[in-house]
Amino acid sequence: MMENAIAWIFIFPLFGSVFCALLGMANRKVCYPISVLSMVGAFWAGVETLMQAVGSSSHEVSYIFGGWTLDSYPRGVGIEFRADLLGALITLVVLGVGLLVSIYSKLPTEEETPGKEPLFHSLFLLQITGLAGICLTGDAFNLYVLIEVAALTGYGLIAIGSNRAAAATFNYVILGTIGASLYLLGVGYVYITTGTLNMVGIHDAIMAPESKLAASASMQVAFVLICLGILIKMAFFPFHAWLPNAYCHAPTTTSCLLAPLVTKVMIYVMIRIVLTAFGVDFSFESTLWAKVLPWLVVVAIVSAAVMALAQREIKRMLAYLIVAEVGYMVGGVWVYNYYGMIGSIFHIISDACMTLCLFLGAGLILRKCKTTNFDGLRGLFSKMPLTMTGFFIGGFSIIGLPPTCGFFSKWYLITGAMVSERWEYLLALLFSTMVMVVLFFRMIERIHLAVSESGENLGKGHGDLGLTDEQTRFSEGPLTMLVPLLLAAGVVLVIGIYNQDVVNQIEIFLDNLPHDADLPKEAVGK
Amino acid sequence: MTDPLIIEDIRPFLAFLVPLVGVFGIAWAGDGRENLRETFTFIAAVLQATIVLSMVPTVLGGAIFEYHVWQIFTNVPLLLRVDGPGLLFASVASVLWIATTLYAIGYMRGLHEHAQTRFYSYFAISLSATMGVAFSANLLTIYFFYEMLSVSTFPLVTHMQDKEARTGGRTYLGYLLFTSLCLLLPALSWCYVWLDGGQVTMDFLGDTGKVGAFGPTAQIILLLLFTFGFAKAGIMPFHSWLPGAMVAPTPVSALLHAVAVVKVGVFCLYRVYADLFGFDVLRSLSGEHWMIVIACVTILISSLIALSQDNLKRRLAFSTIGQLGYVALGVTLATEKGAGGSVLHIAMHACGKITLFFCAGAIFVATGKKYVSELRGLGRKMPITMGAFMIGSLSVIGLPPLGGFVSKWYLALGALDRDALWVVVVLLVSSLLNVFYLLPVAVTAFFRTEETDKDSGIKEAPWPCVVPLALTALGCFVLFFLSGPLLRLAGIGE
């Protein structure tokens, strides 16, 4: 059965979602088990797919839906799901995050959106279907469809919360639609010029011996439109305006699912478009875009970091951090070398894990303290030590302290910046690292110290936090919420420690790019 | 010199692991069972010291231990290696941890401090990280443990949890993380990129001059990044975190901010200068002598600042910055004797300075006094404490037959090898300054009578405070007579 694991990744959540919607009408209680079970199934299929991809000689697994063939010129019209190492890795991240969040979702959904569980869980599973599909599809138009599947369910998942969430969603809908339209327009150009929608086919067409496509204006326009569309979708500064409000006002589970995945998957799409569809030479050499974007990245990272500094509330702060991290990853791609690319891909994985950690932690804090405002954090460590440990591991990873995975992705990004001598990008990275140090240790201070915001001592000295015993007594969150957090924190450490195994797979992927296109490895000045 | 014999052995890793395991015991015992908790700390400390010291004979015999923990990057492993200088540093830190544990019991209980479980836990983690640094075999390994130490000492620095602690903690982390993330990390990455993936070249063993692939300008930049990046070494202008960190309880100031943390900084400098660049390369670099100047400036300015400090712990902190400058000076001199003197000074100064801090803490426990000007007449009330303070002062000043003399002697020899007579002058001037800011403390205590009667009830601090400081004061003598094997560990003895 597992020969077609790649299809099962898609089928489990898709049908799970249908069952949730149908059976949920009869009994709301069945939604949660269905949701968790379909995620378990999908996760298993994801692991299987990755194993197959690692095991196969071509390092990829392919599946063509509906019996179409790829024989016609240049690579057919059928929908092909291709899991190469990159796709399989990112899919596994999506499914892993989805699995943990689905376990986590039980209480927050019941408490925050009572009565809407069937709706929520079916949207949730559809969202996973869309995101996993994005990572697997090998077809540029199919990609658009799946992006919209993910986006539309995302709008629903956010708007399901409070009234303010609905307003935030509206903002998101407008920007999201603009982004998707730009992308679709770009794909249209590509189809007209190359006659195919299959990504490998597009690349074949560009690289064909007598092809003049690389120099053609329509391809350039297509490329810029596609990139622009994706940048809007991934909340790249200055197109980030939809993100903070959407993630802040969304229900807890929604923000836990969307924050780690949506932006990261869009980065994946960008890498996929650059490496597989347009190819290295075209993307980095032929367009003006490649000269402008690195500077936009610097602006993006610095401004997002500064805005994160101004926040007084955990979820908002994290939202701006995500915007900064998006800048990291885009920058890693566009420094145009081997290490930067490894850094970006690895950062997709590690950033998904650490953002998950932080949002799961923030959800637990919110549930216990009824606020995620900084000022309500005092004494939280004695109250929920495990939650805070998990949260801090995520925070250390964002800062980039070894041996968390955040250190290693940042290491490769910095190395990438050095190899291409992109000093401005390096400085932006270091600047935002320092901002993150400030952000997280400011929180640690709030939790740990008996000092008010204005610097007055609270309590009676000797570590007295000025709180009642009731407020500091040990009282952890429920296990369905705590266990996913601790697992996520564990994953952050494990990926850090076994980073070499992940990086090896990424390296195999990069070494086997089509048409032997290689990213530069050697340092410029060497 | 022939290649040393390499022995695969788990002991260096055990020395790192023991305190970490101990933390579980400490946390399990908790605040309710004080004696059990402190027993765990003791067991961890004694075990660690035993493990470390058990390696001494073999290393003195010319062999080195290695333990491969984990592969960080394809070419760079997390590798632990025990060689002479590392072992010397590790021995000092782990032996003094035993003394500090006893002292901490007296101090923390004497002052009825809060959150003692947290205190002992993070203390153990810090010691574990210190062992990691001492036994690191390459740049990346050392960086990992260096960061671990920065983070794990933060709860200790902010132990008082008040406004002062916040300021101190902010300065502490601000300086240490800024330098390590913004200067060190790029420097490491730079090495990794240029030096063929760092396979051999980030490793401390083997041929020196590994940075030869860089041009001379790049080498100087790299040297600057490393010198200031290891801000734990307290080289000016990145020294201000150390006085700020004095808000911590005295056992922390004593072991971490006079021995472990700061010595980790200078030890890292030693590794970079001696084992990464190599002295021949360094001496051939134009502009390298400015590093000597920076070290000398640090020594002199900090000594002058120390003169003006009335708060005893702050005075000692500035004195520490000056003494760290000596160690840095020794390595920047880029001569065999100078570097050996540096390694030796890590041990000698550790013993002397920890005595001084122990005394400062004992005085605070017994009398609640923090300022030098309040100490009049205290010598008669607390003879052991003030006597030990006197011995510690003399050792730091560098008089025979105390440990501090030996290392200063070799530093001076190193300066002469480099034909830098002015450095010897700096050493002399700063020794004089040491006399001016350290001796008056003991002298006022012994020879000036107190002005008020309200001090009449004062007596020595509880015995767990007094015994360790007497022992470390004794240690200053012992180190002088033990200097033979120490010199061999430091690589300059016969």
Side-chain angles (χ1 to χ4, degrees), chain A residues 466-493:
Chain A
L467 295 169
T468 61
D469 283 351
E470 183 64 33
Q471 285 167 304
T472 53
R473 188 178 306 139
F474 177 84
S475 142
E476 277 289 356
L479 279 183
T480 51
M481 294 173 81
L482 188 60
V483 170
L485 170 65
L486 294 181
L487 281 177
V491 169
V492 166
L493 292 175

PDB file of all heavy atoms in Angstrom, chain A residues 466-493:
ATOM      1  N   GLY A 466       6.558  39.648  45.024  1.00  0.00           N
ATOM      2  CA  GLY A 466       5.411  40.508  45.239  1.00  0.00           C
ATOM      3  C   GLY A 466       4.132  39.889  44.727  1.00  0.00           C
ATOM      4  O   GLY A 466       3.220  40.583  44.283  1.00  0.00           O
ATOM      5  N   LEU A 467       4.063  38.567  44.748  1.00  0.00           N
ATOM      6  CA  LEU A 467       2.863  37.867  44.310  1.00  0.00           C
ATOM      7  C   LEU A 467       2.362  36.993  45.458  1.00  0.00           C
ATOM      8  O   LEU A 467       3.131  36.612  46.336  1.00  0.00           O
ATOM      9  CB  LEU A 467       3.177  36.968  43.104  1.00  0.00           C
ATOM     10  CG  LEU A 467       3.609  37.653  41.810  1.00  0.00           C
ATOM     11  CD1 LEU A 467       4.126  36.619  40.841  1.00  0.00           C
ATOM     12  CD2 LEU A 467       2.455  38.412  41.203  1.00  0.00           C
ATOM     13  N   THR A 468       1.097  36.671  45.406  1.00  0.00           N
ATOM     14  CA  THR A 468       0.584  35.746  46.422  1.00  0.00           C
ATOM     15  C   THR A 468       1.033  34.329  46.093  1.00  0.00           C
ATOM     16  O   THR A 468       1.432  34.034  44.968  1.00  0.00           O
ATOM     17  CB  THR A 468      -0.949  35.775  46.442  1.00  0.00           C
ATOM     18  OG1 THR A 468      -1.409  35.366  45.150  1.00  0.00           O
ATOM     19  CG2 THR A 468      -1.464  37.150  46.770  1.00  0.00           C
ATOM     20  N   ASP A 469       0.963  33.454  47.075  1.00  0.00           N
ATOM     21  CA  ASP A 469       1.345  32.060  46.857  1.00  0.00           C
ATOM     22  C   ASP A 469       0.495  31.445  45.751  1.00  0.00           C
ATOM     23  O   ASP A 469       0.968  30.643  44.946  1.00  0.00           O
ATOM     24  CB  ASP A 469       1.162  31.251  48.153  1.00  0.00           C
ATOM     25  CG  ASP A 469       2.298  31.537  49.113  1.00  0.00           C
ATOM     26  OD1 ASP A 469       3.252  32.208  48.683  1.00  0.00           O
ATOM     27  OD2 ASP A 469       2.221  31.101  50.275  1.00  0.00           O
ATOM     28  N   GLU A 470      -0.775  31.848  45.767  1.00  0.00           N
ATOM     29  CA  GLU A 470      -1.700  31.338  44.757  1.00  0.00           C
ATOM     30  C   GLU A 470      -1.169  31.602  43.344  1.00  0.00           C
ATOM     31  O   GLU A 470      -1.226  30.745  42.464  1.00  0.00           O
ATOM     32  CB  GLU A 470      -3.054  32.042  44.959  1.00  0.00           C
ATOM     33  CG  GLU A 470      -4.155  31.593  44.035  1.00  0.00           C
ATOM     34  CD  GLU A 470      -4.531  30.132  44.246  1.00  0.00           C
ATOM     35  OE1 GLU A 470      -4.446  29.642  45.403  1.00  0.00           O
ATOM     36  OE2 GLU A 470      -4.893  29.509  43.256  1.00  0.00           O
ATOM     37  N   GLN A 471      -0.588  32.797  43.169  1.00  0.00           N
ATOM     38  CA  GLN A 471      -0.153  33.191  41.825  1.00  0.00           C
ATOM     39  C   GLN A 471       1.113  32.497  41.372  1.00  0.00           C
ATOM     40  O   GLN A 471       1.406  32.472  40.187  1.00  0.00           O
ATOM     41  CB  GLN A 471       0.051  34.710  41.783  1.00  0.00           C
ATOM     42  CG  GLN A 471      -1.261  35.466  41.735  1.00  0.00           C
ATOM     43  CD  GLN A 471      -1.051  36.926  42.012  1.00  0.00           C
ATOM     44  OE1 GLN A 471      -0.493  37.317  43.040  1.00  0.00           O
ATOM     45  NE2 GLN A 471      -1.480  37.768  41.101  1.00  0.00           N
ATOM     46  N   THR A 472       1.887  31.978  42.311  1.00  0.00           N
ATOM     47  CA  THR A 472       3.130  31.337  41.889  1.00  0.00           C
ATOM     48  C   THR A 472       3.101  29.830  42.108  1.00  0.00           C
ATOM     49  O   THR A 472       4.087  29.156  41.858  1.00  0.00           O
ATOM     50  CB  THR A 472       4.327  31.906  42.670  1.00  0.00           C
ATOM     51  OG1 THR A 472       4.041  31.802  44.058  1.00  0.00           O
ATOM     52  CG2 THR A 472       4.597  33.340  42.314  1.00  0.00           C
ATOM     53  N   ARG A 473       1.986  29.313  42.596  1.00  0.00           N
ATOM     54  CA  ARG A 473       1.961  27.882  42.861  1.00  0.00           C
ATOM     55  C   ARG A 473       2.047  27.087  41.555  1.00  0.00           C
ATOM     56  O   ARG A 473       1.518  27.502  40.525  1.00  0.00           O
ATOM     57  CB  ARG A 473       0.684  27.498  43.618  1.00  0.00           C
ATOM     58  CG  ARG A 473       0.703  26.051  44.074  1.00  0.00           C
ATOM     59  CD  ARG A 473      -0.539  25.695  44.863  1.00  0.00           C
ATOM     60  NE  ARG A 473      -0.734  26.620  45.988  1.00  0.00           N
ATOM     61  CZ  ARG A 473      -1.939  27.090  46.328  1.00  0.00           C
ATOM     62  NH1 ARG A 473      -2.990  26.768  45.628  1.00  0.00           N
ATOM     63  NH2 ARG A 473      -2.058  27.912  47.351  1.00  0.00           N
ATOM     64  N   PHE A 474       2.714  25.945  41.652  1.00  0.00           N
ATOM     65  CA  PHE A 474       2.900  25.096  40.480  1.00  0.00           C
ATOM     66  C   PHE A 474       1.553  24.711  39.885  1.00  0.00           C
ATOM     67  O   PHE A 474       0.701  24.157  40.569  1.00  0.00           O
ATOM     68  CB  PHE A 474       3.670  23.840  40.891  1.00  0.00           C
ATOM     69  CG  PHE A 474       3.851  22.864  39.773  1.00  0.00           C
ATOM     70  CD1 PHE A 474       4.888  23.013  38.876  1.00  0.00           C
ATOM     71  CD2 PHE A 474       2.983  21.802  39.616  1.00  0.00           C
ATOM     72  CE1 PHE A 474       5.064  22.119  37.844  1.00  0.00           C
ATOM     73  CE2 PHE A 474       3.155  20.899  38.577  1.00  0.00           C
ATOM     74  CZ  PHE A 474       4.191  21.051  37.704  1.00  0.00           C
ATOM     75  N   SER A 475       1.338  25.033  38.636  1.00  0.00           N
ATOM     76  CA  SER A 475       0.084  24.680  38.001  1.00  0.00           C
ATOM     77  C   SER A 475       0.293  24.687  36.490  1.00  0.00           C
ATOM     78  O   SER A 475       0.164  25.698  35.832  1.00  0.00           O
ATOM     79  CB  SER A 475      -0.979  25.693  38.443  1.00  0.00           C
ATOM     80  OG  SER A 475      -1.832  26.021  37.427  1.00  0.00           O
ATOM     81  N   GLU A 476       0.692  23.536  35.980  1.00  0.00           N
ATOM     82  CA  GLU A 476       0.978  23.419  34.553  1.00  0.00           C
ATOM     83  C   GLU A 476      -0.309  23.325  33.745  1.00  0.00           C
ATOM     84  O   GLU A 476      -1.378  23.016  34.289  1.00  0.00           O
ATOM     85  CB  GLU A 476       1.826  22.177  34.299  1.00  0.00           C
ATOM     86  CG  GLU A 476       3.303  22.392  34.530  1.00  0.00           C
ATOM     87  CD  GLU A 476       3.955  23.275  33.481  1.00  0.00           C
ATOM     88  OE1 GLU A 476       3.280  23.663  32.520  1.00  0.00           O
ATOM     89  OE2 GLU A 476       5.151  23.581  33.634  1.00  0.00           O
ATOM     90  N   GLY A 477      -0.188  23.555  32.449  1.00  0.00           N
ATOM     91  CA  GLY A 477      -1.331  23.414  31.564  1.00  0.00           C
ATOM     92  C   GLY A 477      -1.698  21.947  31.406  1.00  0.00           C
ATOM     93  O   GLY A 477      -0.983  21.054  31.871  1.00  0.00           O
ATOM     94  N   PRO A 478      -2.828  21.660  30.760  1.00  0.00           N
ATOM     95  CA  PRO A 478      -3.248  20.278  30.550  1.00  0.00           C
ATOM     96  C   PRO A 478      -2.278  19.540  29.629  1.00  0.00           C
ATOM     97  O   PRO A 478      -1.594  20.156  28.820  1.00  0.00           O
ATOM     98  CB  PRO A 478      -4.618  20.427  29.887  1.00  0.00           C
ATOM     99  CG  PRO A 478      -4.610  21.785  29.300  1.00  0.00           C
ATOM    100  CD  PRO A 478      -3.766  22.622  30.192  1.00  0.00           C
ATOM    101  N   LEU A 479      -2.242  18.216  29.779  1.00  0.00           N
ATOM    102  CA  LEU A 479      -1.257  17.423  29.054  1.00  0.00           C
ATOM    103  C   LEU A 479      -1.417  17.512  27.538  1.00  0.00           C
ATOM    104  O   LEU A 479      -0.420  17.515  26.816  1.00  0.00           O
ATOM    105  CB  LEU A 479      -1.350  15.951  29.480  1.00  0.00           C
ATOM    106  CG  LEU A 479      -0.635  15.617  30.785  1.00  0.00           C
ATOM    107  CD1 LEU A 479      -0.742  14.122  31.061  1.00  0.00           C
ATOM    108  CD2 LEU A 479       0.817  16.035  30.733  1.00  0.00           C
ATOM    109  N   THR A 480      -2.660  17.596  27.053  1.00  0.00           N
ATOM    110  CA  THR A 480      -2.823  17.643  25.592  1.00  0.00           C
ATOM    111  C   THR A 480      -2.163  18.880  25.015  1.00  0.00           C
ATOM    112  O   THR A 480      -1.858  18.929  23.835  1.00  0.00           O
ATOM    113  CB  THR A 480      -4.306  17.673  25.182  1.00  0.00           C
ATOM    114  OG1 THR A 480      -4.959  18.705  25.918  1.00  0.00           O
ATOM    115  CG2 THR A 480      -4.975  16.346  25.413  1.00  0.00           C
ATOM    116  N   MET A 481      -1.979  19.905  25.847  1.00  0.00           N
ATOM    117  CA  MET A 481      -1.316  21.096  25.338  1.00  0.00           C
ATOM    118  C   MET A 481       0.177  21.083  25.655  1.00  0.00           C
ATOM    119  O   MET A 481       0.996  21.549  24.865  1.00  0.00           O
ATOM    120  CB  MET A 481      -1.954  22.351  25.938  1.00  0.00           C
ATOM    121  CG  MET A 481      -3.386  22.541  25.493  1.00  0.00           C
ATOM    122  SD  MET A 481      -4.194  23.901  26.340  1.00  0.00           S
ATOM    123  CE  MET A 481      -3.604  25.301  25.407  1.00  0.00           C
ATOM    124  N   LEU A 482       0.497  20.535  26.825  1.00  0.00           N
ATOM    125  CA  LEU A 482       1.885  20.583  27.279  1.00  0.00           C
ATOM    126  C   LEU A 482       2.765  19.632  26.475  1.00  0.00           C
ATOM    127  O   LEU A 482       3.882  19.983  26.075  1.00  0.00           O
ATOM    128  CB  LEU A 482       1.935  20.228  28.766  1.00  0.00           C
ATOM    129  CG  LEU A 482       3.288  20.412  29.428  1.00  0.00           C
ATOM    130  CD1 LEU A 482       3.727  21.853  29.324  1.00  0.00           C
ATOM    131  CD2 LEU A 482       3.224  19.977  30.877  1.00  0.00           C
ATOM    132  N   VAL A 483       2.244  18.427  26.220  1.00  0.00           N
ATOM    133  CA  VAL A 483       3.062  17.429  25.539  1.00  0.00           C
ATOM    134  C   VAL A 483       3.491  17.899  24.138  1.00  0.00           C
ATOM    135  O   VAL A 483       4.676  17.787  23.795  1.00  0.00           O
ATOM    136  CB  VAL A 483       2.336  16.073  25.501  1.00  0.00           C
ATOM    137  CG1 VAL A 483       3.052  15.103  24.589  1.00  0.00           C
ATOM    138  CG2 VAL A 483       2.242  15.514  26.908  1.00  0.00           C
ATOM    139  N   PRO A 484       2.578  18.452  23.327  1.00  0.00           N
ATOM    140  CA  PRO A 484       3.049  18.952  22.028  1.00  0.00           C
ATOM    141  C   PRO A 484       4.140  20.001  22.153  1.00  0.00           C
ATOM    142  O   PRO A 484       5.102  19.996  21.379  1.00  0.00           O
ATOM    143  CB  PRO A 484       1.785  19.559  21.405  1.00  0.00           C
ATOM    144  CG  PRO A 484       0.675  18.860  22.043  1.00  0.00           C
ATOM    145  CD  PRO A 484       1.113  18.549  23.433  1.00  0.00           C
ATOM    146  N   LEU A 485       4.011  20.868  23.157  1.00  0.00           N
ATOM    147  CA  LEU A 485       5.039  21.897  23.341  1.00  0.00           C
ATOM    148  C   LEU A 485       6.389  21.256  23.639  1.00  0.00           C
ATOM    149  O   LEU A 485       7.410  21.602  23.037  1.00  0.00           O
ATOM    150  CB  LEU A 485       4.640  22.843  24.474  1.00  0.00           C
ATOM    151  CG  LEU A 485       5.732  23.811  24.913  1.00  0.00           C
ATOM    152  CD1 LEU A 485       6.078  24.768  23.795  1.00  0.00           C
ATOM    153  CD2 LEU A 485       5.325  24.583  26.149  1.00  0.00           C
ATOM    154  N   LEU A 486       6.372  20.297  24.580  1.00  0.00           N
ATOM    155  CA  LEU A 486       7.646  19.687  24.944  1.00  0.00           C
ATOM    156  C   LEU A 486       8.218  18.885  23.780  1.00  0.00           C
ATOM    157  O   LEU A 486       9.433  18.867  23.571  1.00  0.00           O
ATOM    158  CB  LEU A 486       7.472  18.799  26.180  1.00  0.00           C
ATOM    159  CG  LEU A 486       7.107  19.584  27.445  1.00  0.00           C
ATOM    160  CD1 LEU A 486       6.967  18.659  28.630  1.00  0.00           C
ATOM    161  CD2 LEU A 486       8.156  20.647  27.733  1.00  0.00           C
ATOM    162  N   LEU A 487       7.335  18.227  23.030  1.00  0.00           N
ATOM    163  CA  LEU A 487       7.821  17.507  21.851  1.00  0.00           C
ATOM    164  C   LEU A 487       8.455  18.480  20.866  1.00  0.00           C
ATOM    165  O   LEU A 487       9.536  18.225  20.315  1.00  0.00           O
ATOM    166  CB  LEU A 487       6.662  16.773  21.176  1.00  0.00           C
ATOM    167  CG  LEU A 487       6.233  15.466  21.838  1.00  0.00           C
ATOM    168  CD1 LEU A 487       5.029  14.881  21.118  1.00  0.00           C
ATOM    169  CD2 LEU A 487       7.376  14.468  21.835  1.00  0.00           C
ATOM    170  N   ALA A 488       7.781  19.616  20.655  1.00  0.00           N
ATOM    171  CA  ALA A 488       8.329  20.606  19.725  1.00  0.00           C
ATOM    172  C   ALA A 488       9.688  21.081  20.204  1.00  0.00           C
ATOM    173  O   ALA A 488      10.636  21.207  19.413  1.00  0.00           O
ATOM    174  CB  ALA A 488       7.370  21.780  19.575  1.00  0.00           C
ATOM    175  N   ALA A 489       9.803  21.332  21.518  1.00  0.00           N
ATOM    176  CA  ALA A 489      11.088  21.777  22.059  1.00  0.00           C
ATOM    177  C   ALA A 489      12.133  20.689  21.861  1.00  0.00           C
ATOM    178  O   ALA A 489      13.285  20.973  21.511  1.00  0.00           O
ATOM    179  CB  ALA A 489      10.946  22.119  23.537  1.00  0.00           C
ATOM    180  N   GLY A 490      11.719  19.425  22.071  1.00  0.00           N
ATOM    181  CA  GLY A 490      12.638  18.317  21.843  1.00  0.00           C
ATOM    182  C   GLY A 490      13.103  18.278  20.396  1.00  0.00           C
ATOM    183  O   GLY A 490      14.290  18.082  20.117  1.00  0.00           O
ATOM    184  N   VAL A 491      12.165  18.502  19.487  1.00  0.00           N
ATOM    185  CA  VAL A 491      12.516  18.467  18.067  1.00  0.00           C
ATOM    186  C   VAL A 491      13.530  19.571  17.745  1.00  0.00           C
ATOM    187  O   VAL A 491      14.480  19.357  16.994  1.00  0.00           O
ATOM    188  CB  VAL A 491      11.248  18.613  17.199  1.00  0.00           C
ATOM    189  CG1 VAL A 491      11.624  18.860  15.753  1.00  0.00           C
ATOM    190  CG2 VAL A 491      10.408  17.360  17.305  1.00  0.00           C
ATOM    191  N   VAL A 492      13.325  20.749  18.350  1.00  0.00           N
ATOM    192  CA  VAL A 492      14.273  21.845  18.120  1.00  0.00           C
ATOM    193  C   VAL A 492      15.690  21.399  18.490  1.00  0.00           C
ATOM    194  O   VAL A 492      16.649  21.639  17.746  1.00  0.00           O
ATOM    195  CB  VAL A 492      13.873  23.091  18.950  1.00  0.00           C
ATOM    196  CG1 VAL A 492      14.998  24.100  18.992  1.00  0.00           C
ATOM    197  CG2 VAL A 492      12.632  23.721  18.358  1.00  0.00           C
ATOM    198  N   LEU A 493      15.802  20.706  19.618  1.00  0.00           N
ATOM    199  CA  LEU A 493      17.129  20.257  20.047  1.00  0.00           C
ATOM    200  C   LEU A 493      17.643  19.112  19.169  1.00  0.00           C
ATOM    201  O   LEU A 493      18.805  19.093  18.778  1.00  0.00           O
ATOM    202  CB  LEU A 493      17.085  19.812  21.512  1.00  0.00           C
ATOM    203  CG  LEU A 493      16.852  20.939  22.507  1.00  0.00           C
ATOM    204  CD1 LEU A 493      16.711  20.384  23.912  1.00  0.00           C
ATOM    205  CD2 LEU A 493      18.018  21.912  22.462  1.00  0.00           C
TER     206      LEU A 493
END
